[in-house]
Amino acid sequence: MLSPSAQKVQDALNERGFAHLQVLELSASTRTAQEAADAVGCTVGQIVKSLIFRGATSGQPYLLLVSGVNRVDVHKVEESLGEQLIKPDAEYVRTITGFAIGGVPPLGHAQHLEALIDPDLLQYERIYAAAGTPFAVFELSPNELLALTQGRIVQLAQGKAG
Ligand code: 5CA
């Protein structure tokens, strides 16, 4: 039995035809990328951080899917998007996604979110994303992340060219 928020993510996977991807609820915390990596036994780079930003001009929310080892270069992303970004508070994240920080998944949100994907995630065979709670993750491939989010690959991280 999954908790209601984790089940919501599993339902979203099932509805999208990805029922083979299974939400795992763990006894250890997966609240941060480091904790999630420790809990599943992978590298921090294989953890997908799901970060919400808000366009300062458009008001549009963006979902940034970032390798757990990387820090977002906000200026670089602003240049790609052509507008400035605001880092919203926890309440906005919950309203937009339907999930609390620490469990925000890459799909199954309260509304459709334009997704930007860190190219560094593509180097791994398997990656792990949050699944609705700070104790839940699911394992997938980078291609499945692309398919599930319809995201576009954009340089998001500090210290990278482009
Ligand atoms: N479950 C883990 C690994 S998948 C996880 O959700 N990590 S995360 O990085 O995607 O989510 C935590 C992120 O939420 C932080 O990196 C930070 O960008 C954001 N965050 C944390 N606290 C706040 C806050 N008070 N207000 C707004 N955003 C926050």
Side-chain angles (χ1 to χ4, degrees), residues 29-37 47-53 64 66 68 87-91 93 100-105 128-131 133-137:
S29 169
T30 59
R31 187 179 57 84
T32 67
Q34 182 65 60
E35 286 175 347
I47 300 296
V48 183
K49 296 193 284 194
S50 300
L51 308 180
I52 304 295
F53 283 83
L64 274 51
V66 188
K87 188 96 198 274
D89 64 17
E91 194 183 321
V93 173
I101 280 170
V104 175
Y128 299 83
T133 84
F135 291 90
V137 292

Side-chain angles (χ1 to χ4, degrees), residues 10 12 18 20 23-24 39 59 67 70 105 107-109 114 120 140-141:
Q10 185 66 63
F18 287 79
H20 60 287
V23 170
L24 300 174
S67 169
N70 284 342
L107 79 163
H109 307 121
E114 181 173 341
D120 282 0
L140 72 172
S141 69

Side-chain angles (χ1 to χ4, degrees), residues 13 28 68 73 82 84 86 112 116 122 130 138-139 144-145 150:
L13 288 167
D73 182 336
Q84 294 201 302
I86 296 165
H112 174 78
L116 309 179
L122 307 180
F138 68 102
E139 182 183 341
E144 286 166 330
L145 184 68
Q150 302 286 305

